[in-house]
Amino acid sequence: GVRTEAPSNPLPPMAPTTESESLLQSPSSSSSSFSSSSFSSKNPKERALRLLRQEAIRQHSKSFETFADQLASKLTASPFAEVNNMIQKMIFRLMDEQKNEDEHKNWCDLELSKTNTSIEDKTAKVSEIDLKMQADQATVAALASEITAANDKVAEFQAFIDDSTQIRQESKAENEAAIHDAQQAQNAIAKAVAVLEAFYKDSGMVAKESWEFVQKSKKAAAPVDLPEKPSTWEAGYSGVSDPKNQPEGIITVLEKISADFSSMEADTKAQEATDEKNYQDSRKEAEVEMARRQKEGELKTQEKARLTDKLTALQRTKKRTTAELEATQQYLKDLHPACVEGDSTYEERKGARDSEIQALKEAQVILSEAFKSEEEEPPSLVEIRRANFAIA
């Protein structure tokens, strides 16, 4: 067939000792450098190693510098496939590190966000509980004061009822005694007046009624006839004064006294009725108000007990929420070393890996050109770029 590519004639071999020493030396070695007579600046392998070591210096990466040294030892005796495989593994390793760090960062971002949100929520909840507890405590204190006032009023009304009842009983007893005395006095006066009238009628000082002139003996049916002037009557009786004359007459005086006792009896009865009515009205009002105050005290006592139970429950909730908040805050502190603190940021580390991967890919291309002149046919640049593209 027709040749489509230029022949890759093998180059004469370099001095083994000089080439090996040059490739194995790191940038920090003083015994050799990339300006060695055996490795000119145009040597592709030298350029590839220089690129990798410069990248290690720029990124301050000891591991990448170690890799460059290990790669240098492979360049003297290993085929390109082994060298390329070594670079490829390093690229995969850096990509895997970045993938793991991406996953770790996503996890950190999620955990930090969830933890901060939880801290905000729990802090707000604790504040809300504090406000509720303050309001309920103020209400409980107000209810305690109102309950005391209601109980005091109940005691006042009970004392009023007791005092008014005692006074009413004493007043009733006095009125009943007064009425009894007035009635007794009236009866006694009535009897006295009857005796006096009988005496005065017999003496002639008081005119008898027509029915009193004819009397019949209980033992004899015949009437008793009295002489007009009995022999024993020496003279007609003459009283000091008429017993019914006003105002000196004794009967008139007694009748006036009896009328006074009758008025006293009537007034006392009327006063007793008024006092009893006023007592019953005031007692009824006091009992109604006392019952209202008792009910008010009972309802407020129940409300106070309910709020006290609520405060107890809020206190337990606050204690539990505070403990959760403290645990969440501690978890946030524990996240800091793994997710926040460090010598470099995520962006810096990602940029460094991207730069190292790019340097490795460039070194692959350079070394592919370097191995063209050797006996082993290396992969074409198209294949290397296609592989790098697949990795990227």
Side-chain angles (χ1 to χ4, degrees):
V2 180
R3 186 186 294 275
T4 58
E5 294 182 0
S8 57
N9 296 322
L11 296 175
M14 297 181 180
T17 55
T18 306
E19 181 180 4
S20 299
E21 290 173 0
S22 175
L23 292 174
L24 292 173
Q25 291 298 323
S26 66
S28 60
S29 300
S30 59
S31 60
S32 178
S33 67
F34 286 109
S35 60
S36 170
S37 59
S38 61
F39 256 165
S40 67
S41 61
K42 293 181 179 180
N43 189 308
K45 294 182 180 181
E46 181 183 352
R47 284 192 293 111
L49 289 174
R50 182 186 296 114
L51 174 65
L52 296 179
R53 283 172 171 156
Q54 285 176 346
E55 183 65 25
I57 293 172
R58 190 169 69 86
Q59 300 298 340
H60 305 286
S61 175
K62 292 292 184 183
S63 62
F64 204 71
E65 181 181 351
T66 302
F67 170 77
D69 292 342
Q70 292 173 349
L71 183 63
S73 66
K74 292 285 185 181
L75 290 177
T76 57
S78 300
F80 177 76
E82 186 175 343
V83 172
N84 187 63
N85 185 53
M86 183 177 180
I87 295 174
Q88 205 66 37
K89 285 183 178 179
M90 186 62 176
I91 292 175
F92 284 137
R93 174 187 154 190
L94 292 173
M95 292 176 66
D96 186 62
E97 287 179 358
Q98 187 59 47
K99 178 176 175 291
N100 291 335
E101 185 163 0
D102 289 341
E103 293 175 352
H104 179 71
K105 182 178 184 301
N106 292 335
W107 178 84
C108 283
D109 291 344
L110 180 61
E111 288 299 306
L112 288 171
S113 176
K114 286 166 53 179
T115 304
N116 286 321
T117 301
S118 179
I119 289 174
E120 292 175 0
D121 292 343
K122 293 183 187 305
T123 301
K125 187 174 181 180
V126 170
S127 299
E128 181 182 356
I129 292 173
D130 284 337
L131 291 176
K132 287 182 179 179
M133 290 182 64
Q134 291 173 6
D136 289 344
Q137 286 169 350
T139 303
V140 167
L143 285 172
S145 177
E146 292 170 1
I147 291 169
T148 301
N151 291 337
D152 290 344
K153 278 295 181 183
V154 169
E156 289 178 10
F157 283 116
Q158 186 61 56
F160 167 77
I161 292 173
D162 293 342
D163 292 343
S164 61
T165 299
Q166 181 179 357
I167 293 173
R168 176 84 277 272
Q169 289 173 349
E170 293 174 356
S171 177
K172 185 178 181 67
E174 287 290 330
N175 289 336
E176 289 176 349
I179 292 171
H180 180 267
D181 291 345
Q183 291 174 344
Q184 291 295 324
Q186 291 178 78
N187 291 333
I189 290 173
K191 290 179 180 179
V193 168
V195 171
L196 288 173
E197 284 183 341
F199 174 76
Y200 284 124
K201 285 179 181 179
D202 290 341
S203 65
M205 293 292 296
V206 176
K208 291 183 179 182
E209 301 294 335
S210 58
W211 55 269
E212 294 178 316
F213 284 103
V214 178
Q215 296 182 356
K216 292 183 178 180
S217 172
K218 294 180 181 180
K219 297 181 179 180
V224 178
D225 295 329
L226 295 176
E228 184 178 351
K229 291 183 180 181
S231 58
T232 57
W233 292 2
E234 296 179 354
Y237 174 78
S238 60
V240 176
S241 62
D242 188 344
K244 288 192 175 183
N245 283 347
Q246 298 293 342
E248 294 87 358
I250 184 62
I251 294 177
T252 300
V253 172
L254 290 175
E255 288 177 346
K256 177 66 172 62
I257 294 172
S258 178
D260 291 341
F261 277 116
S262 178
S263 297
M264 184 184 75
E265 179 186 0
D267 292 344
T268 303
K269 287 181 178 179
Q271 184 65 42
E272 171 64 18
T274 301
D275 290 347
E276 182 66 20
K277 182 179 183 304
N278 292 338
Y279 164 73
Q280 293 296 339
D281 291 344
S282 63
R283 175 167 182 157
K284 183 177 180 180
E285 292 177 0
E287 287 175 344
V288 169
E289 185 63 19
M290 183 173 70
R292 186 184 73 82
R293 288 290 190 159
Q294 283 177 334
K295 191 63 177 178
E296 176 186 343
E298 291 173 2
L299 293 176
K300 290 184 176 180
T301 300
Q302 293 173 2
E303 179 65 11
K304 180 185 174 186
R306 186 187 70 81
L307 287 176
T308 302
D309 292 340
K310 181 182 175 184
L311 279 170
T312 302
L314 285 174
Q315 185 64 40
R316 288 197 297 265
T317 303
K318 179 183 177 182
K319 183 178 180 180
R320 183 179 65 254
T321 306
T322 302
E324 292 173 356
L325 175 60
E326 291 174 353
T328 307
Q329 289 172 334
Q330 182 61 46
Y331 180 61
L332 180 63
K333 290 180 181 179
D334 295 340
L335 285 175
H336 270 246
C339 297
V340 179
E341 299 172 1
D343 297 333
S344 60
T345 64
Y346 165 80
E347 289 75 14
E348 291 172 345
R349 292 190 295 274
K350 185 177 186 301
R353 288 194 187 95
D354 290 343
S355 180
E356 290 173 352
I357 291 172
Q358 185 61 34
L360 289 168
K361 290 179 179 180
E362 292 178 8
Q364 273 185 314
V365 175
I366 296 171
L367 291 175
S368 175
E369 295 175 353
F371 277 91
K372 279 184 180 181
S373 59
E374 298 183 358
E375 293 180 359
E376 182 180 359
E377 185 70 22
S380 66
L381 294 176
V382 176
E383 293 175 345
I384 295 175
R385 287 173 180 168
R386 186 178 298 160
N388 290 337
F389 179 77
I391 294 171

